[in-house]
């Protein structure tokens, strides 16, 4: 009996020893170095992200099988990545966190297998997966097996796309082809100062093109948020980034067949937005801040903007209306007069598809004079990019409510979720102007001859423009033709939109069966 006891103690002590080594990850010195760079270790990050005591680790004992290039006998704790599941606000999520203190968080064969296992479990269980990336990329010593590991991860990212939310936090380097797993996920959060993403680093760029650029200027958080549009959110420090993940998840369902989580609200459905009555400038060429409309209309404090700083002529974000999460899309008259350009089109189309995949109703606020003119736009493929917007809205089956605030001209009117492209409910403010083009441009074309022959062409143009404006630059022709369902008082917008959303809550919409569509990319 005593023998049995001591045998069990010895076995337990062996487990203790192994776990202690695994939990120490790269050891105190490397953890110290990590802290010195303002970064937490993988385990600390998971503690910060998940509900207390909710983490259940999977694959802690996994080790590399590599023997080449000095790997023989190397015992890399958890093979550089901590994987498992846990809870956020009581809801299950799967997680992986790369640990830079172990072989630079580099991805070898077994490190990749651990991530793949988490991806498989998350998909089968229908719950979100969150990746915390901090890695030197493919583990050089493991060569093609490391590359193979990435390929398997990319494939799973793609299979899971549109089924479960996939969120990535870039908390250290992410270089080379390694950036493509994050890029295949739904949302990327980057930590300012420490998170970096690039396909080829500064040294390669210098040798190939001669350009000199720092790591941060090349692929830091600000660059990827504002210049490339790769990142959706930027955080100051690990804590803040993980807080953003928790906030994001509060708007999202666990998977594509669940409804997003609702919350109790204390903001009345019929709260009037008195400020909206005075918001619209007399002169329709003057800008205003559409974010004021959004903040007033949605549940107080619930607007969570995404990709702020990129294509700011269009605003997107998550919000709640009557306690229920929605996706908000709005032209921003303050930037480029709210025109749609290539970057805004990409931003809009991807967000609409994200919302449609995860059962988030779409609320679109329209004030756009049209597509941004110019050779740069045409040569850059505004036709192809602009088509994505039409495609995304027409494809979406979630409830779609459109509010035309002011300008809705031509192709951009159609693109911004018009009735014909698939809006379920179109509301318009009295200030709405819905026509093929703006009064000035229209008068110049259709009255060209009479203006040219007039004694005073400028005066004739002014009168014709005024006449056109009176006849067409309002919502009542569209309302008379059934393309606008109601012209509403701006201050009552919240009430009307919530009523429409509630009425559409059980909406079911079908599209023809197909393998998948062919969105213009
Ligand atoms: C193996 C790596 C590694 C890697 C870092 N380490 N990256 N080991 N494979 N890819 C190890 C280092 O040898 C070092 O080990 C420890 O991690 C810490 O790295 P340091 O260089 O000391 O850290 P730091 O100075 O902070 O520099 C970080 C870094 C640098 C900028 C990320 O490590 C770096 O340039 N790494 C290589 C990046 C890269 O080119 N990766 C391949 C990308 S291509 P010791 O024991 O000395 O402490 C790719 C292809 C994917 O990933 C393709 C998918 C299709």
């Amino acid at each position: 009996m005593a023998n049995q006891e001591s045998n069990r103690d010895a076995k337990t002590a062996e487990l203790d020893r192994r776990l202690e080594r695994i939990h120490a990850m790269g050891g105190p010195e490397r953890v110290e170095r990590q802290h010195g760079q303002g970064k937490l270790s993988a385990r600390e990050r998971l503690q910060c992200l998940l509900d207390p005591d909710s983490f259940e680790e999977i694959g802690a004992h996994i080790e590399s099988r590599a023997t080449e290039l000095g790997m023989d006998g190397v015992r890399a704790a958890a093979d550089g990545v901590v994987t498992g599941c846990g809870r956020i606000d009581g809801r299950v999520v799967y997680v992986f966190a790369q640990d830079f203190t172990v072989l630079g968080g580099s991805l070898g064969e077994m490190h990749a297998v651990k991530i793949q296992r988490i991806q498989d479990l998350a998909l089968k269980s229908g719950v979100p997966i969150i990746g915390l990336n901090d890695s030197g990329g493919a583990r050089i010593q493991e060569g093609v097996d490391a590359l193979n590991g990435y390929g398997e991860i990319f494939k799973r990212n793609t299979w899971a796309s549109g089924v479960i939310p996939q969120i990535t936090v870039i908390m250290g380097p992410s270089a080379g082809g390694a950036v493509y797993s994050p890029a295949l996920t739904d949302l990327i959060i980057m930590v300012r100062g420490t998170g970096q993403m690039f396909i080829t680093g500064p040294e390669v760029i210098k040798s190939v093109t001669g350009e000199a650029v720092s790591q941060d200027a090349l692929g830091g958080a600000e660059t990827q948020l504002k210049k490339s549009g790769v990142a959706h959110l930027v955080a100051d420090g690990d804590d803040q980034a993980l807080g953003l993940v928790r906030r994001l998840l509060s708007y999202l369902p666990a998977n594509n067949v669940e409804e997003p989580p609702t919350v109790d609200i204390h903001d009345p459905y019929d709260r009037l937005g008195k400020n909206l009555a005075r918001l619209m400038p007399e002169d329709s060429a003057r800008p205003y801040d559409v974010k004021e409309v959004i903040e007033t209309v949605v549940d107080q404090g619930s607007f969570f903007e995404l990709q702020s700083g990129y294509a700011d002529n269009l605003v997107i974000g998550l919000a709640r209306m009557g306690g229920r999460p929605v996706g908000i899309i709005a032209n921003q008259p303050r930037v480029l007069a709210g025109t749609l350009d290539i970057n805004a089109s990409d931003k809009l189309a991807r967000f609409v598809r994200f919302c449609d995949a995860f059962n988030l109703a779409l609320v679109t606020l329209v004030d756009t004079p049209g597509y941004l003119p110019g050779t740069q736009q045409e040569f850059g493929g505004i036709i192809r990019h602009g088509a994505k917007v039409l495609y995304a809205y027409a494809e979406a089956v979630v409830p779609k409510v459109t509010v035309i605030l002011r300008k809705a001209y031509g192709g951009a009117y159609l693109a911004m979720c018009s009735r014909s492209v698939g809006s379920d409910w179109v509301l318009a403010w009295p200030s709405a102007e819905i026509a093929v083009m703006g009064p000035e441009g229209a008068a110049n074309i259709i009255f060209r001859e009479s203006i040219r022959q007039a004694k005073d062409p400028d005066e004739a143009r002014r009168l014709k423009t005024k006449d056109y404006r009176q006849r067409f630059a309002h919502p009542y022709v569209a309302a008379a033709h059934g393309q606008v369902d109601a012209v509403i008082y701006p201050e009552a917008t919240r009430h009307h939109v919530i009523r429409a959303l509630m009425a559409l809550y059980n909406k079911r919409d079908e599209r023809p069966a197909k393998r998948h569509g062919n969105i213009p990319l």
Side-chain angles (χ1 to χ4, degrees):
M1 188 68 184
N3 230 355
Q4 259 182 4
E5 278 287 304
S6 75
N7 202 8
R8 206 177 64 225
D9 286 351
K11 288 190 173 176
T12 310
E14 162 73 6
L15 177 60
D16 285 347
R17 259 196 313 279
R18 283 177 180 262
L19 286 178
E20 199 178 324
R21 186 183 62 78
I22 290 165
H23 288 162
M25 298 306 285
E29 273 174 32
R30 283 172 197 262
V31 172
E32 190 80 358
R33 187 176 165 212
Q34 179 89 345
H35 289 164
Q37 293 172 341
K39 301 198 290 184
L40 298 173
S41 71
R43 290 187 186 280
E44 289 165 340
R45 285 169 176 163
L46 290 177
Q47 240 174 16
C48 185
L49 173 70
L50 301 170
D51 293 350
D53 293 327
S54 71
F55 181 54
E56 187 67 26
E57 189 163 357
I58 298 172
H61 300 276
I62 282 179
E63 292 184 353
S64 169
R65 301 194 287 195
T67 52
E68 300 284 343
L69 298 168
M71 284 296 285
D72 202 9
V74 169
R75 300 193 68 192
D79 207 33
V81 61
V82 183
T83 53
C85 66
R87 286 177 187 268
I88 290 182
D89 291 332
R91 300 160 77 211
V92 175
V93 295
Y94 279 87
V95 286
F96 69 86
Q98 296 179 311
D99 198 317
F100 198 82
T101 70
V102 179
L103 299 176
S106 59
L107 181 140
E109 178 205 10
M110 297 311 289
H111 178 124
V113 163
K114 290 182 74 173
I115 296 176
Q116 291 153 24
R117 172 133 173 80
I118 293 305
Q119 291 182 296
D120 290 342
L121 284 169
L123 186 57
K124 278 194 275 194
S125 316
V127 297
I129 181 165
I130 299 149
L132 311 183
N133 290 42
D134 188 357
S135 166
R139 189 173 298 156
I140 296 161
Q141 299 90 325
E142 298 201 31
V144 74
D145 289 334
L147 297 183
N148 183 63
Y150 273 120
E152 293 286 343
I153 292 170
F154 299 163
K155 185 170 71 187
R156 285 168 173 77
N157 284 133
T158 309
W159 288 347
S161 181
V163 184
I164 52 171
Q166 302 182 80
I167 298 176
T168 303
V169 194
I170 305 288
M171 313 182 92
S174 177
V179 295
Y180 284 119
S181 175
L184 287 166
T185 63
D186 296 301
L187 297 157
I188 298 179
I189 300 165
M190 290 186 73
V191 180
R192 198 177 267 119
T194 47
Q196 281 153 8
M197 300 175 80
F198 38 74
I199 297 273
T200 50
E203 282 166 36
V204 178
I205 292 181
K206 178 91 184 138
S207 68
V208 176
T209 70
E211 286 171 286
V213 61
S214 72
Q215 274 197 19
D216 210 54
L218 180 64
E222 289 295 320
T223 299
Q224 298 296 10
L225 180 79
K226 295 185 178 162
K227 287 205 167 115
S228 69
V230 166
H232 298 83
L233 292 163
V234 164
D236 288 316
D238 287 8
D239 274 15
Q240 200 183 81
L242 299 167
L244 290 174
V245 176
R246 293 177 67 92
R247 184 165 184 214
L248 273 176
L249 285 175
S250 74
Y251 294 87
L252 303 180
N255 57 58
N256 62 331
V257 292
E258 266 189 21
E259 292 299 325
T262 53
V263 299
D264 293 336
I265 57 148
H266 307 284
D267 192 4
Y269 291 2
D270 58 356
R271 172 176 50 79
L272 289 179
K274 295 255 167 61
N275 53 325
L276 299 183
R278 298 180 303 271
L279 181 76
M280 202 53 78
E282 273 290 305
D283 176 357
S284 75
R286 298 196 58 154
Y288 59 91
D289 187 357
V290 80
K291 287 190 201 171
E292 189 179 335
V293 182
I294 299 172
E295 299 279 3
T296 305
V297 167
V298 304
D299 294 352
Q300 260 163 4
S302 73
F303 183 53
F304 188 12
E305 189 176 357
L306 301 173
Q307 289 191 286
S308 170
Y310 180 74
D312 279 336
N313 38 334
L314 186 95
V315 178
I316 58 168
L318 300 164
R320 291 191 190 81
M321 294 206 71
R324 202 165 270 159
V326 294
I328 303 279
I329 298 130
N331 306 115
Q332 173 57 288
R334 270 185 150 183
V335 180
L336 295 173
T339 49
L340 282 177
D341 63 353
I342 290 172
N343 291 347
S345 299
D346 283 2
K347 178 175 171 181
L348 193 162
R350 182 151 165 85
F351 183 65
V352 166
R353 298 190 100 211
F354 169 72
C355 292
D356 189 44
F358 294 115
N359 305 316
L360 292 155
L362 296 166
V363 177
T364 304
L365 307 179
V366 186
D367 187 349
T368 179
Y371 284 97
L372 182 68
T375 51
Q376 221 189 352
Q377 290 291 309
E378 298 290 346
F379 297 166
I382 183 67
I383 296 174
R384 180 163 50 87
H385 295 281
K388 292 175 198 179
V389 176
L390 295 162
Y391 193 108
Y393 269 127
E395 175 190 51
V397 294
V398 290
K400 291 174 276 189
V401 176
T402 307
V403 188
I404 303 175
L405 309 180
R406 190 170 60 176
K407 294 174 194 160
Y409 285 116
Y413 153 65
L414 295 176
M416 293 303 294
C417 205
S418 60
R419 155 66 33 77
S420 51
V421 166
S423 178
D424 296 301
W425 210 297
V426 183
L427 303 167
W429 284 9
S431 46
E433 304 171 13
I434 308 167
V436 174
M437 62 170 68
E440 196 123 323
N444 272 334
I445 292 175
I446 53 181
F447 302 118
R448 187 186 300 152
E449 263 320 293
S450 61
I451 290 174
R452 208 171 49 200
Q453 285 167 14
K455 268 198 202 133
D456 182 348
D458 286 342
E459 178 62 5
R461 184 177 299 107
R462 202 185 60 75
L463 290 173
K464 292 291 186 194
T465 303
K466 190 174 163 204
D467 178 45
Y468 182 93
R469 184 181 297 283
Q470 275 166 356
R471 282 212 241 172
F472 298 109
H474 53 69
Y476 299 106
V477 176
H481 295 189
Q483 287 157 28
V484 163
D485 293 303
V487 182
I488 60 170
Y489 295 98
E491 55 270 36
T493 305
R494 170 178 166 81
H495 197 193
H496 287 288
V497 173
I498 292 180
R499 278 183 165 176
L501 288 170
M502 285 167 82
L504 290 165
Y505 181 59
N506 283 324
K507 176 194 169 190
R508 289 288 173 265
D509 209 348
E510 297 286 323
R511 300 280 175 270
K514 53 184 152 181
R515 186 171 300 158
H516 56 71
N518 189 13
I519 187 167
L521 294 173

